[in-house]
mmCIF file with all atom_site columns, all heavy atoms in Angstrom:
data_model
loop_
_atom_site.group_PDB
_atom_site.id
_atom_site.type_symbol
_atom_site.label_atom_id
_atom_site.label_alt_id
_atom_site.label_comp_id
_atom_site.label_asym_id
_atom_site.label_entity_id
_atom_site.label_seq_id
_atom_site.pdbx_PDB_ins_code
_atom_site.Cartn_x
_atom_site.Cartn_y
_atom_site.Cartn_z
_atom_site.occupancy
_atom_site.B_iso_or_equiv
_atom_site.pdbx_formal_charge
_atom_site.auth_seq_id
_atom_site.auth_comp_id
_atom_site.auth_asym_id
_atom_site.auth_atom_id
_atom_site.pdbx_PDB_model_num
ATOM 1   N N   . GLY A 1 1  ? 81.776  205.215 108.457 1.00 0.00 ? 74  GLY A N   1
ATOM 2   C CA  . GLY A 1 1  ? 81.106  203.967 108.142 1.00 0.00 ? 74  GLY A CA  1
ATOM 3   C C   . GLY A 1 1  ? 80.512  203.771 106.695 1.00 0.00 ? 74  GLY A C   1
ATOM 4   O O   . GLY A 1 1  ? 79.894  202.726 106.405 1.00 0.00 ? 74  GLY A O   1
ATOM 5   N N   . ASP A 1 2  ? 80.797  204.759 105.856 1.00 0.00 ? 75  ASP A N   1
ATOM 6   C CA  . ASP A 1 2  ? 80.218  204.720 104.524 1.00 0.00 ? 75  ASP A CA  1
ATOM 7   C C   . ASP A 1 2  ? 81.021  203.934 103.610 1.00 0.00 ? 75  ASP A C   1
ATOM 8   O O   . ASP A 1 2  ? 82.200  204.410 103.276 1.00 0.00 ? 75  ASP A O   1
ATOM 9   C CB  . ASP A 1 2  ? 79.977  206.141 103.996 1.00 0.00 ? 75  ASP A CB  1
ATOM 10  C CG  . ASP A 1 2  ? 79.267  206.223 102.679 1.00 0.00 ? 75  ASP A CG  1
ATOM 11  O OD1 . ASP A 1 2  ? 79.022  205.213 101.989 1.00 0.00 ? 75  ASP A OD1 1
ATOM 12  O OD2 . ASP A 1 2  ? 78.733  207.387 102.335 1.00 0.00 ? 75  ASP A OD2 1
ATOM 13  N N   . PRO A 1 3  ? 80.657  202.823 103.036 1.00 0.00 ? 76  PRO A N   1
ATOM 14  C CA  . PRO A 1 3  ? 81.518  202.001 102.269 1.00 0.00 ? 76  PRO A CA  1
ATOM 15  C C   . PRO A 1 3  ? 81.616  202.565 100.818 1.00 0.00 ? 76  PRO A C   1
ATOM 16  O O   . PRO A 1 3  ? 82.367  201.881 99.987  1.00 0.00 ? 76  PRO A O   1
ATOM 17  C CB  . PRO A 1 3  ? 80.856  200.574 102.417 1.00 0.00 ? 76  PRO A CB  1
ATOM 18  C CG  . PRO A 1 3  ? 79.318  200.922 102.517 1.00 0.00 ? 76  PRO A CG  1
ATOM 19  C CD  . PRO A 1 3  ? 79.424  202.040 103.380 1.00 0.00 ? 76  PRO A CD  1
ATOM 20  N N   . ASN A 1 4  ? 80.820  203.531 100.486 1.00 0.00 ? 77  ASN A N   1
ATOM 21  C CA  . ASN A 1 4  ? 80.817  204.069 99.134  1.00 0.00 ? 77  ASN A CA  1
ATOM 22  C C   . ASN A 1 4  ? 81.495  205.403 99.038  1.00 0.00 ? 77  ASN A C   1
ATOM 23  O O   . ASN A 1 4  ? 81.367  206.078 98.057  1.00 0.00 ? 77  ASN A O   1
ATOM 24  C CB  . ASN A 1 4  ? 79.370  204.133 98.613  1.00 0.00 ? 77  ASN A CB  1
ATOM 25  C CG  . ASN A 1 4  ? 78.690  202.728 98.482  1.00 0.00 ? 77  ASN A CG  1
ATOM 26  O OD1 . ASN A 1 4  ? 79.367  201.872 98.270  1.00 0.00 ? 77  ASN A OD1 1
ATOM 27  N ND2 . ASN A 1 4  ? 77.393  202.771 98.947  1.00 0.00 ? 77  ASN A ND2 1
ATOM 28  N N   . ALA A 1 5  ? 82.307  205.819 100.038 1.00 0.00 ? 78  ALA A N   1
ATOM 29  C CA  . ALA A 1 5  ? 82.855  207.073 100.142 1.00 0.00 ? 78  ALA A CA  1
ATOM 30  C C   . ALA A 1 5  ? 84.383  207.004 99.847  1.00 0.00 ? 78  ALA A C   1
ATOM 31  O O   . ALA A 1 5  ? 85.027  206.094 100.405 1.00 0.00 ? 78  ALA A O   1
ATOM 32  C CB  . ALA A 1 5  ? 82.675  207.885 101.424 1.00 0.00 ? 78  ALA A CB  1
ATOM 33  N N   . LEU A 1 6  ? 84.846  207.795 98.906  1.00 0.00 ? 79  LEU A N   1
ATOM 34  C CA  . LEU A 1 6  ? 86.326  207.788 98.610  1.00 0.00 ? 79  LEU A CA  1
ATOM 35  C C   . LEU A 1 6  ? 86.878  209.194 98.776  1.00 0.00 ? 79  LEU A C   1
ATOM 36  O O   . LEU A 1 6  ? 86.105  210.250 98.664  1.00 0.00 ? 79  LEU A O   1
ATOM 37  C CB  . LEU A 1 6  ? 86.604  207.345 97.109  1.00 0.00 ? 79  LEU A CB  1
ATOM 38  C CG  . LEU A 1 6  ? 86.124  205.834 96.838  1.00 0.00 ? 79  LEU A CG  1
ATOM 39  C CD1 . LEU A 1 6  ? 86.431  205.660 95.386  1.00 0.00 ? 79  LEU A CD1 1
ATOM 40  C CD2 . LEU A 1 6  ? 86.949  204.949 97.633  1.00 0.00 ? 79  LEU A CD2 1
ATOM 41  N N   . MET A 1 7  ? 88.211  209.256 98.993  1.00 0.00 ? 80  MET A N   1
ATOM 42  C CA  . MET A 1 7  ? 88.851  210.701 99.090  1.00 0.00 ? 80  MET A CA  1
ATOM 43  C C   . MET A 1 7  ? 90.209  210.512 98.423  1.00 0.00 ? 80  MET A C   1
ATOM 44  O O   . MET A 1 7  ? 90.995  209.743 98.689  1.00 0.00 ? 80  MET A O   1
ATOM 45  C CB  . MET A 1 7  ? 89.055  211.091 100.469 1.00 0.00 ? 80  MET A CB  1
ATOM 46  C CG  . MET A 1 7  ? 89.743  212.465 100.642 1.00 0.00 ? 80  MET A CG  1
ATOM 47  S SD  . MET A 1 7  ? 90.238  212.960 102.257 1.00 0.00 ? 80  MET A SD  1
ATOM 48  C CE  . MET A 1 7  ? 91.669  211.801 102.530 1.00 0.00 ? 80  MET A CE  1
ATOM 49  N N   . VAL A 1 8  ? 90.363  211.437 97.402  1.00 0.00 ? 81  VAL A N   1
ATOM 50  C CA  . VAL A 1 8  ? 91.725  211.523 96.707  1.00 0.00 ? 81  VAL A CA  1
ATOM 51  C C   . VAL A 1 8  ? 92.546  212.357 97.602  1.00 0.00 ? 81  VAL A C   1
ATOM 52  O O   . VAL A 1 8  ? 92.287  213.273 98.319  1.00 0.00 ? 81  VAL A O   1
ATOM 53  C CB  . VAL A 1 8  ? 91.565  212.354 95.424  1.00 0.00 ? 81  VAL A CB  1
ATOM 54  C CG1 . VAL A 1 8  ? 92.895  212.410 94.700  1.00 0.00 ? 81  VAL A CG1 1
ATOM 55  C CG2 . VAL A 1 8  ? 90.551  211.445 94.455  1.00 0.00 ? 81  VAL A CG2 1
ATOM 56  N N   . MET A 1 9  ? 93.849  211.864 97.736  1.00 0.00 ? 82  MET A N   1
ATOM 57  C CA  . MET A 1 9  ? 94.909  212.520 98.425  1.00 0.00 ? 82  MET A CA  1
ATOM 58  C C   . MET A 1 9  ? 96.251  212.280 97.816  1.00 0.00 ? 82  MET A C   1
ATOM 59  O O   . MET A 1 9  ? 96.362  211.675 96.798  1.00 0.00 ? 82  MET A O   1
ATOM 60  C CB  . MET A 1 9  ? 94.851  212.147 99.868  1.00 0.00 ? 82  MET A CB  1
ATOM 61  C CG  . MET A 1 9  ? 94.927  210.716 100.192 1.00 0.00 ? 82  MET A CG  1
ATOM 62  S SD  . MET A 1 9  ? 96.484  209.863 99.919  1.00 0.00 ? 82  MET A SD  1
ATOM 63  C CE  . MET A 1 9  ? 97.409  210.605 101.354 1.00 0.00 ? 82  MET A CE  1
ATOM 64  N N   . GLY A 1 10 ? 97.258  212.771 98.467  1.00 0.00 ? 83  GLY A N   1
ATOM 65  C CA  . GLY A 1 10 ? 98.619  212.586 98.042  1.00 0.00 ? 83  GLY A CA  1
ATOM 66  C C   . GLY A 1 10 ? 99.700  213.276 98.972  1.00 0.00 ? 83  GLY A C   1
ATOM 67  O O   . GLY A 1 10 ? 99.404  213.605 100.080 1.00 0.00 ? 83  GLY A O   1
ATOM 68  N N   . ALA A 1 11 ? 100.872 213.280 98.312  1.00 0.00 ? 84  ALA A N   1
ATOM 69  C CA  . ALA A 1 11 ? 101.958 213.858 99.185  1.00 0.00 ? 84  ALA A CA  1
ATOM 70  C C   . ALA A 1 11 ? 101.783 215.175 99.696  1.00 0.00 ? 84  ALA A C   1
ATOM 71  O O   . ALA A 1 11 ? 102.299 215.532 100.723 1.00 0.00 ? 84  ALA A O   1
ATOM 72  C CB  . ALA A 1 11 ? 103.309 213.752 98.169  1.00 0.00 ? 84  ALA A CB  1
ATOM 73  N N   . VAL A 1 12 ? 101.137 215.982 98.905  1.00 0.00 ? 85  VAL A N   1
ATOM 74  C CA  . VAL A 1 12 ? 100.844 217.352 99.340  1.00 0.00 ? 85  VAL A CA  1
ATOM 75  C C   . VAL A 1 12 ? 100.125 217.362 100.749 1.00 0.00 ? 85  VAL A C   1
ATOM 76  O O   . VAL A 1 12 ? 100.385 218.276 101.574 1.00 0.00 ? 85  VAL A O   1
ATOM 77  C CB  . VAL A 1 12 ? 99.920  218.145 98.259  1.00 0.00 ? 85  VAL A CB  1
ATOM 78  C CG1 . VAL A 1 12 ? 99.437  219.464 98.817  1.00 0.00 ? 85  VAL A CG1 1
ATOM 79  C CG2 . VAL A 1 12 ? 100.628 218.282 96.948  1.00 0.00 ? 85  VAL A CG2 1
ATOM 80  N N   . MET A 1 13 ? 99.121  216.514 100.823 1.00 0.00 ? 86  MET A N   1
ATOM 81  C CA  . MET A 1 13 ? 98.394  216.391 102.088 1.00 0.00 ? 86  MET A CA  1
ATOM 82  C C   . MET A 1 13 ? 99.366  216.074 103.320 1.00 0.00 ? 86  MET A C   1
ATOM 83  O O   . MET A 1 13 ? 99.210  216.666 104.393 1.00 0.00 ? 86  MET A O   1
ATOM 84  C CB  . MET A 1 13 ? 97.299  215.327 102.054 1.00 0.00 ? 86  MET A CB  1
ATOM 85  C CG  . MET A 1 13 ? 96.404  215.361 103.346 1.00 0.00 ? 86  MET A CG  1
ATOM 86  S SD  . MET A 1 13 ? 95.022  214.319 103.092 1.00 0.00 ? 86  MET A SD  1
ATOM 87  C CE  . MET A 1 13 ? 93.848  215.254 102.188 1.00 0.00 ? 86  MET A CE  1
ATOM 88  N N   . LEU A 1 14 ? 100.374 215.254 103.122 1.00 0.00 ? 87  LEU A N   1
ATOM 89  C CA  . LEU A 1 14 ? 101.266 214.894 104.207 1.00 0.00 ? 87  LEU A CA  1
ATOM 90  C C   . LEU A 1 14 ? 102.045 216.136 104.630 1.00 0.00 ? 87  LEU A C   1
ATOM 91  O O   . LEU A 1 14 ? 102.268 216.356 105.782 1.00 0.00 ? 87  LEU A O   1
ATOM 92  C CB  . LEU A 1 14 ? 102.230 213.796 103.738 1.00 0.00 ? 87  LEU A CB  1
ATOM 93  C CG  . LEU A 1 14 ? 101.772 212.421 103.971 1.00 0.00 ? 87  LEU A CG  1
ATOM 94  C CD1 . LEU A 1 14 ? 100.462 212.009 103.258 1.00 0.00 ? 87  LEU A CD1 1
ATOM 95  C CD2 . LEU A 1 14 ? 102.815 211.337 103.391 1.00 0.00 ? 87  LEU A CD2 1
ATOM 96  N N   . GLY A 1 15 ? 102.541 216.899 103.581 1.00 0.00 ? 88  GLY A N   1
ATOM 97  C CA  . GLY A 1 15 ? 103.259 218.061 103.895 1.00 0.00 ? 88  GLY A CA  1
ATOM 98  C C   . GLY A 1 15 ? 102.529 219.046 104.513 1.00 0.00 ? 88  GLY A C   1
ATOM 99  O O   . GLY A 1 15 ? 102.938 219.786 105.540 1.00 0.00 ? 88  GLY A O   1
ATOM 100 N N   . GLY A 1 16 ? 101.206 219.246 104.170 1.00 0.00 ? 89  GLY A N   1
ATOM 101 C CA  . GLY A 1 16 ? 100.304 220.133 104.884 1.00 0.00 ? 89  GLY A CA  1
ATOM 102 C C   . GLY A 1 16 ? 100.063 219.833 106.307 1.00 0.00 ? 89  GLY A C   1
ATOM 103 O O   . GLY A 1 16 ? 99.996  220.603 107.230 1.00 0.00 ? 89  GLY A O   1
ATOM 104 N N   . ILE A 1 17 ? 99.952  218.527 106.555 1.00 0.00 ? 90  ILE A N   1
ATOM 105 C CA  . ILE A 1 17 ? 99.714  218.009 107.895 1.00 0.00 ? 90  ILE A CA  1
ATOM 106 C C   . ILE A 1 17 ? 100.910 218.249 108.749 1.00 0.00 ? 90  ILE A C   1
ATOM 107 O O   . ILE A 1 17 ? 100.843 218.725 109.942 1.00 0.00 ? 90  ILE A O   1
ATOM 108 C CB  . ILE A 1 17 ? 99.328  216.529 107.906 1.00 0.00 ? 90  ILE A CB  1
ATOM 109 C CG1 . ILE A 1 17 ? 97.905  216.320 107.344 1.00 0.00 ? 90  ILE A CG1 1
ATOM 110 C CG2 . ILE A 1 17 ? 99.443  215.916 109.302 1.00 0.00 ? 90  ILE A CG2 1
ATOM 111 C CD1 . ILE A 1 17 ? 97.483  214.861 107.150 1.00 0.00 ? 90  ILE A CD1 1
ATOM 112 N N   . ILE A 1 18 ? 102.117 218.111 108.279 1.00 0.00 ? 91  ILE A N   1
ATOM 113 C CA  . ILE A 1 18 ? 103.319 218.354 108.959 1.00 0.00 ? 91  ILE A CA  1
ATOM 114 C C   . ILE A 1 18 ? 103.449 219.822 109.357 1.00 0.00 ? 91  ILE A C   1
ATOM 115 O O   . ILE A 1 18 ? 103.758 220.233 110.481 1.00 0.00 ? 91  ILE A O   1
ATOM 116 C CB  . ILE A 1 18 ? 104.616 217.869 108.087 1.00 0.00 ? 91  ILE A CB  1
ATOM 117 C CG1 . ILE A 1 18 ? 104.559 216.365 108.067 1.00 0.00 ? 91  ILE A CG1 1
ATOM 118 C CG2 . ILE A 1 18 ? 105.824 218.321 108.716 1.00 0.00 ? 91  ILE A CG2 1
ATOM 119 C CD1 . ILE A 1 18 ? 105.564 215.882 107.053 1.00 0.00 ? 91  ILE A CD1 1
ATOM 120 N N   . THR A 1 19 ? 103.148 220.728 108.490 1.00 0.00 ? 92  THR A N   1
ATOM 121 C CA  . THR A 1 19 ? 103.287 222.126 108.668 1.00 0.00 ? 92  THR A CA  1
ATOM 122 C C   . THR A 1 19 ? 102.206 222.830 109.417 1.00 0.00 ? 92  THR A C   1
ATOM 123 O O   . THR A 1 19 ? 102.267 223.719 110.216 1.00 0.00 ? 92  THR A O   1
ATOM 124 C CB  . THR A 1 19 ? 103.529 222.960 107.343 1.00 0.00 ? 92  THR A CB  1
ATOM 125 O OG1 . THR A 1 19 ? 102.421 222.741 106.585 1.00 0.00 ? 92  THR A OG1 1
ATOM 126 C CG2 . THR A 1 19 ? 104.756 222.498 106.656 1.00 0.00 ? 92  THR A CG2 1
ATOM 127 N N   . GLY A 1 20 ? 100.898 222.336 109.103 1.00 0.00 ? 93  GLY A N   1
ATOM 128 C CA  . GLY A 1 20 ? 99.697  222.928 109.585 1.00 0.00 ? 93  GLY A CA  1
ATOM 129 C C   . GLY A 1 20 ? 99.205  222.363 110.979 1.00 0.00 ? 93  GLY A C   1
ATOM 130 O O   . GLY A 1 20 ? 98.464  222.922 111.743 1.00 0.00 ? 93  GLY A O   1
ATOM 131 N N   . LYS A 1 21 ? 99.616  221.051 111.208 1.00 0.00 ? 94  LYS A N   1
ATOM 132 C CA  . LYS A 1 21 ? 99.214  220.355 112.390 1.00 0.00 ? 94  LYS A CA  1
ATOM 133 C C   . LYS A 1 21 ? 97.676  220.441 112.640 1.00 0.00 ? 94  LYS A C   1
ATOM 134 O O   . LYS A 1 21 ? 97.174  220.957 113.754 1.00 0.00 ? 94  LYS A O   1
ATOM 135 C CB  . LYS A 1 21 ? 99.873  220.821 113.672 1.00 0.00 ? 94  LYS A CB  1
ATOM 136 C CG  . LYS A 1 21 ? 101.442 220.716 113.543 1.00 0.00 ? 94  LYS A CG  1
ATOM 137 C CD  . LYS A 1 21 ? 102.125 221.256 114.880 1.00 0.00 ? 94  LYS A CD  1
ATOM 138 C CE  . LYS A 1 21 ? 103.597 220.972 114.816 1.00 0.00 ? 94  LYS A CE  1
ATOM 139 N NZ  . LYS A 1 21 ? 104.236 221.667 113.891 1.00 0.00 ? 94  LYS A NZ  1
ATOM 140 N N   . PRO A 1 22 ? 96.883  220.012 111.639 1.00 0.00 ? 95  PRO A N   1
ATOM 141 C CA  . PRO A 1 22 ? 95.426  220.160 111.814 1.00 0.00 ? 95  PRO A CA  1
ATOM 142 C C   . PRO A 1 22 ? 94.874  219.139 112.855 1.00 0.00 ? 95  PRO A C   1
ATOM 143 O O   . PRO A 1 22 ? 95.578  218.152 113.072 1.00 0.00 ? 95  PRO A O   1
ATOM 144 C CB  . PRO A 1 22 ? 94.926  219.752 110.414 1.00 0.00 ? 95  PRO A CB  1
ATOM 145 C CG  . PRO A 1 22 ? 95.956  218.852 109.814 1.00 0.00 ? 95  PRO A CG  1
ATOM 146 C CD  . PRO A 1 22 ? 97.237  219.461 110.358 1.00 0.00 ? 95  PRO A CD  1
ATOM 147 N N   . PRO A 1 23 ? 93.722  219.350 113.454 1.00 0.00 ? 96  PRO A N   1
ATOM 148 C CA  . PRO A 1 23 ? 93.206  218.525 114.438 1.00 0.00 ? 96  PRO A CA  1
ATOM 149 C C   . PRO A 1 23 ? 92.709  217.142 113.908 1.00 0.00 ? 96  PRO A C   1
ATOM 150 O O   . PRO A 1 23 ? 92.738  216.268 114.734 1.00 0.00 ? 96  PRO A O   1
ATOM 151 C CB  . PRO A 1 23 ? 91.880  219.236 114.974 1.00 0.00 ? 96  PRO A CB  1
ATOM 152 C CG  . PRO A 1 23 ? 91.598  220.165 113.848 1.00 0.00 ? 96  PRO A CG  1
ATOM 153 C CD  . PRO A 1 23 ? 92.941  220.556 113.166 1.00 0.00 ? 96  PRO A CD  1
ATOM 154 N N   . VAL A 1 24 ? 92.520  216.998 112.548 1.00 0.00 ? 97  VAL A N   1
ATOM 155 C CA  . VAL A 1 24 ? 92.114  215.824 112.008 1.00 0.00 ? 97  VAL A CA  1
ATOM 156 C C   . VAL A 1 24 ? 93.286  215.286 111.022 1.00 0.00 ? 97  VAL A C   1
ATOM 157 O O   . VAL A 1 24 ? 93.637  215.955 110.097 1.00 0.00 ? 97  VAL A O   1
ATOM 158 C CB  . VAL A 1 24 ? 90.833  215.857 111.237 1.00 0.00 ? 97  VAL A CB  1
ATOM 159 C CG1 . VAL A 1 24 ? 90.453  214.525 110.621 1.00 0.00 ? 97  VAL A CG1 1
ATOM 160 C CG2 . VAL A 1 24 ? 89.609  216.207 112.196 1.00 0.00 ? 97  VAL A CG2 1
ATOM 161 N N   . GLY A 1 25 ? 93.806  214.006 111.334 1.00 0.00 ? 98  GLY A N   1
ATOM 162 C CA  . GLY A 1 25 ? 94.881  213.574 110.522 1.00 0.00 ? 98  GLY A CA  1
ATOM 163 C C   . GLY A 1 25 ? 94.438  212.290 109.759 1.00 0.00 ? 98  GLY A C   1
ATOM 164 O O   . GLY A 1 25 ? 93.253  211.855 109.820 1.00 0.00 ? 98  GLY A O   1
ATOM 165 N N   . LEU A 1 26 ? 95.311  211.690 109.001 1.00 0.00 ? 99  LEU A N   1
ATOM 166 C CA  . LEU A 1 26 ? 95.103  210.529 108.159 1.00 0.00 ? 99  LEU A CA  1
ATOM 167 C C   . LEU A 1 26 ? 94.794  209.357 108.914 1.00 0.00 ? 99  LEU A C   1
ATOM 168 O O   . LEU A 1 26 ? 94.336  208.263 108.343 1.00 0.00 ? 99  LEU A O   1
ATOM 169 C CB  . LEU A 1 26 ? 96.153  210.386 107.156 1.00 0.00 ? 99  LEU A CB  1
ATOM 170 C CG  . LEU A 1 26 ? 96.167  211.324 105.940 1.00 0.00 ? 99  LEU A CG  1
ATOM 171 C CD1 . LEU A 1 26 ? 97.439  211.090 105.165 1.00 0.00 ? 99  LEU A CD1 1
ATOM 172 C CD2 . LEU A 1 26 ? 95.071  211.029 105.068 1.00 0.00 ? 99  LEU A CD2 1
ATOM 173 N N   . ASP A 1 27 ? 95.174  209.324 110.253 1.00 0.00 ? 100 ASP A N   1
ATOM 174 C CA  . ASP A 1 27 ? 94.896  208.211 111.139 1.00 0.00 ? 100 ASP A CA  1
ATOM 175 C C   . ASP A 1 27 ? 93.405  207.945 111.294 1.00 0.00 ? 100 ASP A C   1
ATOM 176 O O   . ASP A 1 27 ? 93.055  206.832 111.816 1.00 0.00 ? 100 ASP A O   1
ATOM 177 C CB  . ASP A 1 27 ? 95.566  208.335 112.455 1.00 0.00 ? 100 ASP A CB  1
ATOM 178 C CG  . ASP A 1 27 ? 95.173  209.636 113.230 1.00 0.00 ? 100 ASP A CG  1
ATOM 179 O OD1 . ASP A 1 27 ? 94.989  210.661 112.658 1.00 0.00 ? 100 ASP A OD1 1
ATOM 180 O OD2 . ASP A 1 27 ? 94.904  209.479 114.374 1.00 0.00 ? 100 ASP A OD2 1
ATOM 181 N N   . LYS A 1 28 ? 92.579  208.962 110.898 1.00 0.00 ? 101 LYS A N   1
ATOM 182 C CA  . LYS A 1 28 ? 91.117  208.826 111.128 1.00 0.00 ? 101 LYS A CA  1
ATOM 183 C C   . LYS A 1 28 ? 90.426  208.231 109.946 1.00 0.00 ? 101 LYS A C   1
ATOM 184 O O   . LYS A 1 28 ? 89.177  207.844 110.086 1.00 0.00 ? 101 LYS A O   1
ATOM 185 C CB  . LYS A 1 28 ? 90.519  210.188 111.388 1.00 0.00 ? 101 LYS A CB  1
ATOM 186 C CG  . LYS A 1 28 ? 91.162  210.989 112.497 1.00 0.00 ? 101 LYS A CG  1
ATOM 187 C CD  . LYS A 1 28 ? 90.874  210.260 113.896 1.00 0.00 ? 101 LYS A CD  1
ATOM 188 C CE  . LYS A 1 28 ? 91.346  211.186 114.974 1.00 0.00 ? 101 LYS A CE  1
ATOM 189 N NZ  . LYS A 1 28 ? 91.261  210.393 116.317 1.00 0.00 ? 101 LYS A NZ  1
ATOM 190 N N   . VAL A 1 29 ? 91.113  207.978 108.875 1.00 0.00 ? 102 VAL A N   1
ATOM 191 C CA  . VAL A 1 29 ? 90.543  207.442 107.697 1.00 0.00 ? 102 VAL A CA  1
ATOM 192 C C   . VAL A 1 29 ? 91.293  206.126 107.209 1.00 0.00 ? 102 VAL A C   1
ATOM 193 O O   . VAL A 1 29 ? 92.270  205.714 107.776 1.00 0.00 ? 102 VAL A O   1
ATOM 194 C CB  . VAL A 1 29 ? 90.501  208.446 106.439 1.00 0.00 ? 102 VAL A CB  1
ATOM 195 C CG1 . VAL A 1 29 ? 89.443  209.478 106.653 1.00 0.00 ? 102 VAL A CG1 1
ATOM 196 C CG2 . VAL A 1 29 ? 91.836  209.092 106.332 1.00 0.00 ? 102 VAL A CG2 1
ATOM 197 N N   . THR A 1 30 ? 90.699  205.480 106.184 1.00 0.00 ? 103 THR A N   1
ATOM 198 C CA  . THR A 1 30 ? 91.181  204.094 105.803 1.00 0.00 ? 103 THR A CA  1
ATOM 199 C C   . THR A 1 30 ? 91.900  204.075 104.547 1.00 0.00 ? 103 THR A C   1
ATOM 200 O O   . THR A 1 30 ? 91.370  204.451 103.391 1.00 0.00 ? 103 THR A O   1
ATOM 201 C CB  . THR A 1 30 ? 89.795  203.253 105.646 1.00 0.00 ? 103 THR A CB  1
ATOM 202 O OG1 . THR A 1 30 ? 88.967  203.223 106.840 1.00 0.00 ? 103 THR A OG1 1
ATOM 203 C CG2 . THR A 1 30 ? 90.295  201.729 105.360 1.00 0.00 ? 103 THR A CG2 1
ATOM 204 N N   . PRO A 1 31 ? 93.236  203.801 104.567 1.00 0.00 ? 104 PRO A N   1
ATOM 205 C CA  . PRO A 1 31 ? 94.071  203.647 103.461 1.00 0.00 ? 104 PRO A CA  1
ATOM 206 C C   . PRO A 1 31 ? 93.664  202.658 102.426 1.00 0.00 ? 104 PRO A C   1
ATOM 207 O O   . PRO A 1 31 ? 93.474  201.454 102.911 1.00 0.00 ? 104 PRO A O   1
ATOM 208 C CB  . PRO A 1 31 ? 95.560  203.476 103.968 1.00 0.00 ? 104 PRO A CB  1
ATOM 209 C CG  . PRO A 1 31 ? 95.271  202.965 105.304 1.00 0.00 ? 104 PRO A CG  1
ATOM 210 C CD  . PRO A 1 31 ? 94.062  203.405 105.843 1.00 0.00 ? 104 PRO A CD  1
#
């Protein structure tokens, strides 16, 4: 709910999610 928070990300994170299957994915944050 913090409107002043940002996170840098990119293609690397997508590859890591595919291989690592972490419990928290990009569906939890706001593009």
Side-chain angles (χ1 to χ4, degrees):
D75 187 346
N77 297 326
L79 298 174
M80 180 188 71
V81 178
M82 52 74 68
V85 171
M86 185 173 283
L87 272 59
I90 289 172
I91 292 169
T92 57
K94 300 181 177 67
V97 177
L99 284 171
D100 58 315
K101 303 298 183 185
V102 285
T103 306

